[in-house]
Amino acid sequence: MLSVSDAEGIIFNLVQPLNSQQDTELVDLLFAGESLAALRADRILASEVTSQLDFPHWDNSAMDGYAVRYEDVQDCSDQKPAVLEIVEEIPAGVQPKSTIQSGQAARIFTGAVMPAGADTVVMQEKTRREENRVIIFTAPKLQEFVRKRGMYYRAGTQLVPAGIPLKASEIAVLTAVQCTQLKVFRRPRVAIFSTGDELVTPDKPLQPGQIVDSNQYALFTLIRHSGAEPIMLGIVKDKPEALKEAIAYAIAHADVVISSGGVSVGYYDYVEQILESLGGEIHVRAVATKPGKPLTVATFKNDPRPILYFGLPGNPVAALVTFWRFVQPAIKKLSGLAHGWEPVFIKAVTRQELCSGGKRETYVWGQLYVKNGVYEFQPAGGLQNSGNLINLAQTNGLAVLPVGTTLIPAGEEVQVLQVGS
Ligand code: AMP
Ligand code: MG
C-alpha cells in the first residue's frame, strides 16, 4: 500500500498535459449568441497573446480640464495666473483640429485625444473660465494628466501567457486589444462508468438489494467543473465480459477513464485483471487513505500521451475523496493549466475534535469557512463513514489527519484540503 505522497508523486507524474499545437480549438471572444460560451472562465489559453497595438493607442487626457503648453503655465500662481485663449473643445472620441500655439489652450475631457502642440493637462478644478479664456492659478507638472501613447504597454508585449484560465480580468485585456479569436485547449474527454450488479439509475424504483448509482452523477458534475467533458457510459454489470467491453470502449474514446466500484478485494472484483488483459500497466493498487484505500491507477499506451485509468472505490464518500485528492488535480494538469492545478490546503481551526485510527491518512469531510478573518473547519455531523453520503451535502473541505495522528482537539489547527465543485 502506497503512502499518499508516494501515490500523489506517481499519479501527477503520469500526467502529460494536452499539446499546445494539436489539442486546441479556436473560440470567439465576442458576446454574441453561441460564442458567449467562449467566455466561460475555465477555457485555458493554449498560446500566449501579445499586443498588436500600443496602449493607450494615442496620447490622451486623464482628466477633465485644459490641454496646454507647459511652458505657458510653468510659472503661474495665485498672484500671477496664466491667461490662455480657448481655441477648441475636444470631447472623447474626436480627433482634434488645431495645433495649440503659445498663449492658447483646448478644453479637453477624460479619454479625449491630446491636441498637437499641447503637452500637459490642467485639471478644471485648478482653473476659472471667463468666456473664451481660461485662467490658471496653479503650475502643473510637465505632462501631468497626459496618458502617453504606449505608456501601459507597447505593441509586441506579452499580455497573457499560455496555460492561463480565461477569467474576467484576462477577457478584459484580450477584448481591449481586439483579440477576437482565441486559441484554447480543447476540453479533456473523461469517460465514467459505475460497476455493480446492485446499482440502478435514480429514476428506477428500487428492488430489494438495489441502490442508486450516485457516483456517476457526482463524478459527472465534478468532471464538468474541472473543465473537462464527461462521457457517461452508465452502469456496467459485475461480469468480466461486460467490464472488458466497457473499458475497451472507454480507452478508445477518452483521455481519462474513471470507474467506480469493483476495486476492493472481493469475488466480483475483476477490474484489475481486465486492465492487464487489455494491455494496461498498473501503477497504483492501494493508497493509505481513509476513506479511499482501494484506488487503482493504470495507463494504456497511446500516442501522443497515455490514457489514464482511475478505478475508484465504490463507496460514495471514498469515490469523491479519491477524486478530489488525486483525480481532479490530474485532470486539471492534463487540461493545460500552467499553474494552480495542484491540491490546495488551508490551515484552519477545527470547531470540533477530529479523530483517526492513525494508521492511514484520514480525511474528515465538512465545511471550511471564514469567521472574523480566520479559517474555521466544522466537520459534517452524523457518522463519518465512507458509505454515508447523506452528510456530504455542503462539503467544501477535507480536514487531513496525517498517519500517526489520532486526535486533533477542538480549537487546534488542522490542514484542510479545499474541495467542492
Ligand atoms: P465496491 O467498491 O464495488 O466493493 O462497492 C463498495 C460499496 O459501494 C458497496 O456497498 C456498493 O454498493 C457501493 N457502491 C458501489 N458503486 C456505487 C455507485 N456507483 N454509487 C453508489 N454506491 C456504490
Ligand atoms: Mg461492487
Side-chain angles (χ1 to χ4, degrees):
M1 190 159 52
L2 291 170
S3 70
V4 171
S5 60
D6 286 350
E8 180 182 63
I10 291 170
I11 294 168
F12 297 163
N13 274 331
L14 288 172
V15 181
Q16 291 170 28
L18 293 179
N19 185 294
S20 62
Q21 301 303 315
Q22 285 142 28
D23 295 317
T24 63
E25 55 198 13
L26 281 178
V27 292
D28 264 352
L29 173 76
L30 300 174
F31 281 98
E34 286 142 289
S35 33
L36 197 61
L39 294 176
R40 279 171 58 173
D42 54 357
R43 294 319 301 257
I44 300 162
L45 203 60
S47 42
E48 64 162 23
V49 172
T50 52
S51 65
Q52 303 292 316
L53 304 168
D54 292 338
F55 195 85
H57 312 312
W58 40 71
D59 295 357
N60 70 89
S61 175
M63 280 286 168
D64 291 343
Y66 293 87
V68 301
R69 297 167 69 99
Y70 177 70
E71 63 198 29
D72 286 350
V73 292
Q74 61 180 329
D75 296 325
C76 73
S77 64
D78 282 340
Q79 289 73 38
K80 206 172 74 155
V83 180
L84 303 174
E85 180 199 0
I86 300 166
V87 292
E88 190 179 353
E89 182 162 312
I90 314 167
V94 166
Q95 185 61 34
K97 290 184 216 59
S98 31
T99 297
I100 304 301
Q101 310 291 339
S102 186
Q104 295 181 337
R107 177 74 169 120
I108 197 162
F109 298 92
T110 306
V113 177
M114 286 292 286
D119 54 15
T120 300
V121 170
V122 180
M123 66 197 287
Q124 67 188 26
E125 290 83 344
K126 301 279 166 70
T127 67
R128 198 172 74 225
R129 173 115 186 209
E130 281 181 4
E131 295 170 352
N132 72 333
R133 284 174 308 166
V134 58
I135 303 166
I136 297 169
F137 299 95
T138 312
K141 295 195 196 81
L142 178 64
Q143 295 186 350
E144 198 169 18
F145 302 127
V146 178
R147 298 189 284 217
K148 297 290 285 178
R149 173 180 175 158
M151 80 185 269
Y152 298 157
Y153 51 78
R154 296 222 163 259
T157 309
Q158 185 194 69
L159 298 175
V160 188
I164 296 298
L166 296 174
K167 298 184 189 298
S169 44
E170 289 76 30
I171 293 294
V173 174
L174 298 174
T175 308
V177 297
Q178 298 181 308
C179 185
T180 53
Q181 288 245 295
L182 304 172
K183 192 169 159 194
V184 298
F185 287 103
R186 68 172 176 81
R187 293 184 188 281
R189 288 182 288 273
V190 181
I192 30 174
F193 65 90
S194 300
T195 67
D197 288 342
E198 76 281 28
L199 302 177
V200 291
T201 53
D203 53 331
K204 298 273 167 25
L206 285 175
Q207 303 300 325
Q210 293 187 327
I211 68 158
V212 175
D213 168 18
S214 54
N215 289 351
Q216 190 149 189
Y217 286 69
L219 291 170
F220 176 88
T221 312
L222 286 168
I223 290 162
R224 276 179 61 89
H225 284 235
S226 311
E229 208 64 72
I231 307 171
M232 278 174 113
L233 300 180
I235 298 166
V236 176
K237 293 283 181 201
D238 282 319
K239 306 254 176 334
E241 318 77 59
L243 277 174
K244 192 167 182 177
E245 196 183 317
I247 295 172
Y249 179 89
I251 58 182
H253 289 87
D255 303 294
V256 177
V257 179
I258 303 175
S259 68
S260 73
V263 286
S264 55
V265 188
Y267 187 70
Y268 292 103
D269 299 339
Y270 301 114
V271 176
E272 287 197 1
Q273 289 170 31
I274 291 168
L275 292 172
E276 282 171 330
S277 75
L278 287 168
E281 185 186 344
I282 298 182
H283 303 272
V284 175
R285 290 190 153 83
V287 185
T289 62
K290 193 175 183 329
K293 182 172 70 164
L295 171 71
T296 305
V297 182
T299 50
F300 291 86
K301 285 205 174 65
N302 180 59
D303 197 29
R305 87 190 64 75
I307 309 288
L308 283 168
Y309 176 89
F310 293 95
L312 309 186
N315 269 313
V317 183
L320 292 199
V321 167
T322 45
F323 183 92
W324 282 320
R325 185 64 186 81
F326 301 110
V327 186
Q328 192 164 45
I331 292 176
K332 288 187 175 174
K333 183 179 179 190
L334 173 72
S335 68
L337 271 183
H339 323 277
W341 54 265
E342 298 94 341
V344 175
F345 295 91
I346 287 179
K347 211 183 270 176
V349 174
T350 181
R351 303 273 301 154
Q352 279 180 24
E353 173 177 290
L354 305 171
C355 300
S356 155
K359 295 207 172 61
R360 290 186 264 151
E361 185 161 304
T362 299
Y363 300 103
V364 177
W365 53 99
Q367 284 182 38
L368 180 67
Y369 54 89
V370 177
K371 194 170 171 191
N372 301 327
V374 176
Y375 275 108
E376 293 192 0
F377 179 76
Q378 174 68 46
L383 255 188
Q384 292 260 336
N385 178 296
S386 68
N388 176 21
L389 82 165
I390 297 307
N391 65 1
L392 256 188
Q394 298 187 68
T395 292
N396 65 350
L398 301 178
V400 185
L401 283 83
V403 174
T405 300
T406 51
L407 188 132
I408 298 179
E412 294 286 305
E413 276 188 345
V414 63
Q415 292 285 345
V416 180
L417 172 66
Q418 241 186 345
V419 302
S421 50

